[in-house]
């Protein structure tokens, strides 16, 4: 007997049925906004990740040398891959490019609440528009995904921030600040104590007074963002605030502004974000890790050798991830059970009739099972029950002598007979009620 | 600029749309027969494959040592994984267990026609029934998959054979035969010349006369299989012929017997098959490699440390595989194009109205795009055309002064106006015709 690998999971049918419903909902939301499905390799050259994130990233990668001597890595995220794909067909693709895909990714990290070494994300991205309405559309998809899954604004905090406001504020100090380090400190803020946070900011180049001042500015209310530009006198901050307000105005048009909380203490850890960033949390904090995040990353495609191409996107984790935990916490996780429209129960040698009926019902798109194990009446009825069959059609030798079958409603237990030639007949979905 | 890895492919939206349609068809067929979706890890302990297939298999694996010192391999096929999963929950799972899943697999092989290092299969298996109707149900799903995809019996050869007939015939000779080697020779028969084939059979322990005799028996017609038992006097052959005939009789009941050709020269390469095996080929031979195969493998679960559990299944390749090639050859490959129900074209500052209409239409389940790039009328119309929008709704400042929008049918080019408050109104799918 073999064990599965640590950090990996098997999904049996009941659990998978719930996950499939979640994935279908997420994908349908993306499709309805005109995002188009793509499919991508599970493996890329390791250097693609090293070039983007530095040599340290290798520690988190499933990387190895393949039998042809290539240094390859299992994809830990989709962004570098889609960047590569955009660059490869940059001229021919109509803009904006709107793509989605659902697939597993792999990272060699220590498993914890909602984190596995294999996890599934739906990546949703727009390439080729720097317009604030592109940011807002991505945010609208993100919020719609959450509400389409049954969550309400009480269940989640959707925090919106802007990288250029953070960097503009940092650069407005008379200090030699490592902006990326300081932003990483902001990203860690909620997970560390205040002293450690202040140390990180001073390590990044601010003095304590500046760090304190900076942190205070991060708590500016949404309707007073304009004061940040005044206080700092920074054109960069003014432009970034204007951009954030334009995105929020578009979000208003798109019907999702009410879900958004401006929160400059939200920073997102990854270095490649360049504009609006957002992050979703469980409002109760019971799911302690971020549910998902996203934002604008305008420089990545150029960094991959392409024409300058603005980009914005996000990636909810749909399996082995925190989103399912939030749905469970909020009581909107889909039922983990099988559903079956019909079970054709054979008594005696009635397979050909049962098969004909099963075939007709399947042609109407129904889920139909029949006995393929030569089992007894009781065993078949137990099985039909275990797969939650709604209707059992009993095809018995004696009934057939009268050209009849028995139709049993499994919820009520009621049953009646129906003419075999009229089952299903012209009926799309015949049930007990049609013959009772 | 980075290259993707040899033997791996990117799927852009148009191509993916066609593949998605194929995958949806295959999965819906399986679902309608009551197969339930599972999801499985991309990685397993390497020893799982070595124990099953021998040390040579490592040459074809993407195997490596992970950062925790585990010898792991990317899954080259699903069967060992589902066997592991069945064993892990053998007691609690109701039988028969009917599972399907679609996902990528990886093998380090030389790419050729329809073969890539990363390929996607839908695996469809029944565990827990040795009844011939289980074999026949799997064959019925396989044939239905092909016909649901638009193929006819003229397009493919569906060849059915039986491992126990082959082994029974081989064992009936007065010779020390390596049955697996001889069956592998039969599997290779179509790809090698006759001399080489005969050499392989004699290497396996037959003399030339026996090899010749054996090959002749493999060409026995379907309605004369009974003669094989008589000729050899083998009870094993008699039982296997009876089993094959019972499977074909069930296939008749299930409506797919007419698609099946009995062909004992079909053997399937893998050692673990134990009963009925089948394989699908392009009837024109233009796609030279097997389209897919399957069969019964009753010993595998026990070999994985479980209770003896009969099993039968098959796995059509749905991407980077031969099935798409057959569909293309037969002219039933789905259109590779985007489809879009509505494009909301904004002229002037009309975003809030366009967004309201887009939202209403999306709520009815339509695919709706609108401008998120601040582009001109012409650029938007060009984009709407590139995504094959059926209807363009033009939301212009001037029309809005009259409380109207313009509805344009993109196929005919006809357009008319509609009251903005009635679009979409109560209509599920408003088009030009509703207002002309």
């Amino acid at each position: 007997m073999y064990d599965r690998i640590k950090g990996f999971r098997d999904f049996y049918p009941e659990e998978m049925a719930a996950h499939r419903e979640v994935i279908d909902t997420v994908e349908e939301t993306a499709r309805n906004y005109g995002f188009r499905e793509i499919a991508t390799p599970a493996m890329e050259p390791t250097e693609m990740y090293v070039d983007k994130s530095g040599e340290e990233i290798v520690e988190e990668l499933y990387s190895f040398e393949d039998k042809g001597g290539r240094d390859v890595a299992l994809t830990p995220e989709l962004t570098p891959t889609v960047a590569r794909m955009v660059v490869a067909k940059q001229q021919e693709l109509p803009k904006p490019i709107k793509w989605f895909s659902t697939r597993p990714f792999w990272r060699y990290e220590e498993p914890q609440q909602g984190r596995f070494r294999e996890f599934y994300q739906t990546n949703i991205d727009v390439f080729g528009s720097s317009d604030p309405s592109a940011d807002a559309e991505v945010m609208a998809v993100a919020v719609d995904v959450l509400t389409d899954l049954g969550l309400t604004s009480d269940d989640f905090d959707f925090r919106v921030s802007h990288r250029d406001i953070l960097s503009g504020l940092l650069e407005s100090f008379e200090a030699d600040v490592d902006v990326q380090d300081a932003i990483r400190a902001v990203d860690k803020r909620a997970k560390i104590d205040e002293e450690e946070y202040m140390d990180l900011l001073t390590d990044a180049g601010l003095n304590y007074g500046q760090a304190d001042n900076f942190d205070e500015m991060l708590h500016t209310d949404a309707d007073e963002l304009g004061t940040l530009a005044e206080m700092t006198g920074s054109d960069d901050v003014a432009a970034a605030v204007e951009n954030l307000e334009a995105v929020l105005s578009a979000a208003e048009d798109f019907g999702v502004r009410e879900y958004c909380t401006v929160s400059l203490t939200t920073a997102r850890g990854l270095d490649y974000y360049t504009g609006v960033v957002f992050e979703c949390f469980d409002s109760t904090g019971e799911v302690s890790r971020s549910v998902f995040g996203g934002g604008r990353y305008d420089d990545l495609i150029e960094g991959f050798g392409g024409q300058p191409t603005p980009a914005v996107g996000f990636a909810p984790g749909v399996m082995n991830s925190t989103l399912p935990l939030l749905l469970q916490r909020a009581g909107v996780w889909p039922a983990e059970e099988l559903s079956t429209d019909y079970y054709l129960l054979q008594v005696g040698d009635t397979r050909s009739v049962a098969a004909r009926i099963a075939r007709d019902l399947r042609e109407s798109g129904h889920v139909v099972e029949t006995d393929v194990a030569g089992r007894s009446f009781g065993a078949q009825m137990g099985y039909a029950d275990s797969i939650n069959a709604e209707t059992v059609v009993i095809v018995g030798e004696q009934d057939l002598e009268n050209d009849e079958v028995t139709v049993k409603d499994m919820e009520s237990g009621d049953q009646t007979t129906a003419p075999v030639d009229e089952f299903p007949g012209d009926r799309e979905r015949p049930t007990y009620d049609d013959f009772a």
Side-chain angles (χ1 to χ4, degrees), chain A:
Chain A
M1 185 155 166
Y2 303 91
D3 290 325
R4 65 167 181 274
I5 299 171
K6 180 181 175 185
F8 289 66
R9 276 173 82 198
D10 300 322
F11 290 85
Y12 286 83
E14 285 83 357
E15 202 182 349
M16 188 62 208
H19 283 89
R20 175 54 60 199
E21 202 173 317
V22 169
I23 293 170
D24 282 350
T25 300
V26 173
E27 292 194 337
E28 199 196 341
T29 305
R31 280 184 202 281
N32 287 354
Y33 274 87
F35 289 80
R36 316 292 172 167
E37 187 176 19
I38 58 167
T40 57
M43 211 181 279
E44 297 279 4
T46 304
E47 65 169 337
M48 211 164 92
Y49 303 107
V50 173
D51 291 352
K52 169 169 169 271
S53 310
E55 196 63 53
E56 319 83 68
I57 189 73
V58 173
E59 282 309 300
E60 290 185 10
L61 293 178
Y62 280 96
S63 57
F64 60 100
E65 189 179 300
D66 82 2
K67 295 195 165 54
R70 300 170 191 85
D71 285 318
V72 296
L74 297 189
T75 50
E77 57 161 328
L78 193 67
T79 308
T81 296
V82 287
R84 177 179 62 66
M85 284 174 67
V86 168
V87 171
K89 297 213 178 187
Q90 190 135 28
Q91 299 310 319
E92 54 209 279
L93 292 167
K95 315 284 177 312
I97 299 159
K98 296 170 68 174
W99 286 347
F100 82 89
S101 68
T102 303
R103 40 155 295 185
F105 297 93
W106 303 273
R107 288 186 199 166
Y108 195 81
E109 296 180 303
E110 212 43 50
Q112 50 172 267
Q113 185 204 37
R115 189 164 83 187
F116 293 82
R117 289 179 173 169
E118 178 175 65
F119 58 96
Y120 295 68
Q121 287 183 338
T122 303
N123 280 262
I124 298 169
D125 294 279
V126 181
F127 300 92
S129 172
S130 57
D131 195 272
S133 57
D135 307 66
E137 179 164 277
V138 166
M139 286 159 54
V141 175
V143 169
D144 279 4
V145 157
L146 295 168
T147 56
D148 289 349
L149 287 168
L151 297 169
T152 70
S153 56
D154 290 343
D155 295 319
F156 60 86
D157 289 336
F158 194 88
R159 300 181 196 158
V160 183
S161 181
H162 200 294
R163 275 294 181 93
D164 291 348
I165 297 181
L166 298 184
S167 60
L169 293 178
L170 289 162
E171 282 160 358
S172 72
F173 292 105
E174 295 201 355
D176 182 19
V177 185
D178 185 320
V179 169
Q180 295 291 9
D181 276 0
I183 286 176
R184 270 192 290 267
V186 175
D187 183 54
K188 283 189 191 147
R189 195 175 178 284
K191 297 168 210 152
I192 58 183
D193 62 31
E194 182 159 355
E195 193 182 333
E196 200 180 338
Y197 170 57
M198 281 294 161
D199 285 348
L200 286 173
L201 287 178
T202 52
D203 287 351
L206 297 176
N207 65 38
Y208 278 96
Q210 291 168 333
D212 211 47
N213 189 358
F214 173 64
D215 190 55
E216 200 169 306
M217 290 194 287
L218 296 187
H219 289 81
T220 306
D221 284 347
D223 51 6
E224 298 194 342
L225 292 175
T227 61
L228 292 175
E230 288 161 30
M231 279 194 285
T232 57
S234 158
D235 290 344
D236 289 347
V237 171
V241 166
E242 191 183 341
N243 179 254
L244 176 56
E245 286 175 339
V247 170
L248 293 170
S249 162
E252 177 82 43
D253 285 348
F254 295 167
V256 298
R257 174 65 184 87
E258 61 187 301
Y259 295 92
C260 303
T261 308
V262 171
S263 161
L264 298 182
T265 57
T266 296
R268 301 285 295 145
L270 293 167
D271 287 351
Y272 59 66
Y273 287 111
T274 58
V276 163
V277 290
F278 54 87
E279 198 152 15
C280 173
F281 293 89
D282 179 359
S283 59
T284 68
E286 205 172 298
V287 179
S288 57
R289 294 176 55 229
S290 163
V291 175
F292 63 75
R296 183 167 278 286
Y297 52 102
D298 284 350
D299 299 336
L300 191 74
I301 303 287
E302 197 176 355
F304 270 62
Q307 299 295 315
T309 304
V312 55
F314 79 111
V318 288
M319 282 168 69
N320 286 348
S321 187
T322 43
L323 177 58
L325 296 182
L326 172 60
L327 298 174
Q328 284 157 10
R329 197 280 297 153
V332 296
W333 184 243
E336 294 196 350
E337 57 183 31
L338 307 181
S339 73
T340 308
D341 299 314
Y342 296 94
Y343 183 84
L344 268 291
L345 195 153
Q346 303 166 37
V347 187
D349 182 15
T350 62
R351 187 176 65 199
S352 66
V353 175
R356 192 271 302 160
I357 295 174
R359 202 162 185 84
D360 288 350
L361 291 168
R362 284 179 190 131
E363 270 169 19
S364 299
H366 300 306
V367 174
V368 185
E369 286 206 51
T370 185
D371 182 42
V372 292
R375 296 197 297 181
S376 68
F377 182 95
Q380 288 186 65
M381 199 56 96
Y383 179 76
D385 191 46
S386 77
I387 59 172
N388 301 311
E390 279 184 37
T391 299
V392 170
V393 182
I394 303 167
V395 188
E397 285 182 339
Q398 290 194 315
D399 275 354
L400 283 186
E401 282 175 16
N402 303 322
D403 295 321
E404 288 179 336
V405 293
T406 297
V407 182
K408 185 180 182 72
D409 182 279
M410 289 294 276
E411 197 177 21
S412 67
D414 295 339
Q415 63 181 54
T416 185
T417 55
V420 63
D421 292 341
E422 290 180 31
F423 202 95
D426 296 334
R427 296 180 178 83
E428 268 295 302
R429 193 185 176 90
T431 63
Y432 166 82
D433 295 331
D434 291 314
F435 303 97

